[in-house]
Amino acid sequence: KNQVEQSPQSLIILEGKNCTLQCNYTVSPFSNLRWYKQDTGRGPVSLTIMTFSENTKSNGRYTATLDADTKQSSLHITASQLSDSASYICVVSGWMDSSYKLIFGSGTRLLVRP
Amino acid sequence: ETGVTQTPRHLVMGMTNKKSLKCEQHLGHNAMYWYKQSAKKPLELMFVYSLEERVENNSVPSRFSPECPNSSHLFLHLHTLQPEDSALYLCASSQVAFSGNTIYFGEGSWLTVV
């Protein structure tokens, strides 16, 4: 079964600290991996997108890494801010059962405290 | 402003009501999607439209009826819903369906069925 597992489910950190969110997937064959940020009550917003040939992609204080061999990705947030409090969703896509599918993780809820 | 606008943002309806969710994208995209997001669950793809033609219907109950009059507008008609249908309904668009293009989400419509 194609799955995307994220950890931890939730995380609390102090403002200014760094944190790393994990995404493990079993989707195969793999096409690309996206990280989205979803503020409470809002729609998800794309942070990064990586193909299997990319190892890292940055977007400001957000850096995503991808290891296609171990099927793992991480999202590192540097110098966290209160506005980083949100859910972070890992999405893996590929051609499965003759159709193109996006498999969503359940997300990691991050709370940044002052 | 993500370029995908959803109305209403909040909707409370009885199980015998008929209501509709509306989505409009201002990005010139050819594909539009409806997703359902329940608490602590991954996003579930409901419908995909490409150039106004429905290309995927993920075993969604017939009480949800999509309509795509043109490539910029998408509706989700609701009738005789159940309380378990209460969720955040997200509309999204991308340049092309079933591709590596970034998917842009709207802010969502919070639906409560009483």
Side-chain angles (χ1 to χ4, degrees), chain A residues 32 34 36 38 41-46 49 89 95 100-102 104-106, chain B residues 9 35 37 40 42-43 56 88 90 98-103 105-107 110:
Chain A
N32 58 57
R34 302 172 168 90
Y36 279 87
Q38 185 175 21
R42 311 289 291 274
V45 175
S46 179
I49 178 169
I89 303 172
W95 285 93
Y100 187 86
K101 295 186 185 299
L102 273 69
F104 288 78
S106 297
Chain B
R9 291 296 316 281
Y35 283 90
Q37 187 175 34
K40 298 183 179 180
L43 271 73
E56 186 155 333
L88 178 66
L90 291 161
F98 307 123
S99 70
N101 298 141
T102 296
I103 294 180
F105 288 88
E107 300 286 43
W110 283 98

Side-chain angles (χ1 to χ4, degrees), chain B residues 11-84:
Chain B
L11 177 63
V12 179
M13 58 186 290
M15 289 188 284
T16 58
N17 291 159
K18 288 184 179 181
K19 297 286 184 182
S20 295
L21 306 181
K22 177 183 177 182
C23 176
E24 181 176 1
Q25 58 98 358
H26 316 276
L27 301 169
H29 289 165
N30 293 321
M32 295 188 77
Y33 312 78
W34 278 117
Y35 283 90
K36 176 183 178 183
Q37 187 175 34
S38 303
K40 298 183 179 180
K41 287 186 177 181
L43 271 73
E44 303 170 49
L45 178 64
M46 299 175 72
F47 302 104
V48 181
Y49 276 83
S50 178
L51 296 173
E52 303 136 49
E53 178 180 344
R54 190 189 309 180
V55 295
E56 186 155 333
N57 173 358
N58 276 2
S59 302
V60 179
S62 60
R63 57 185 184 269
F64 295 92
S65 175
E67 177 189 1
C68 187
N70 55 62
S71 59
S72 299
H73 293 84
L74 186 64
F75 295 89
L76 187 62
H77 303 299
L78 316 169
H79 62 97
T80 60
L81 295 190
Q82 304 298 312
E84 60 265 28

Side-chain angles (χ1 to χ4, degrees), chain A residues 72-91:
Chain A
Q72 295 179 325
S73 176
S74 65
L75 181 68
H76 187 73
I77 304 175
T78 304
S80 61
Q81 300 176 0
L82 298 180
S83 59
D84 292 330
S85 296
S87 286
Y88 292 84
I89 303 172
C90 175
V91 187

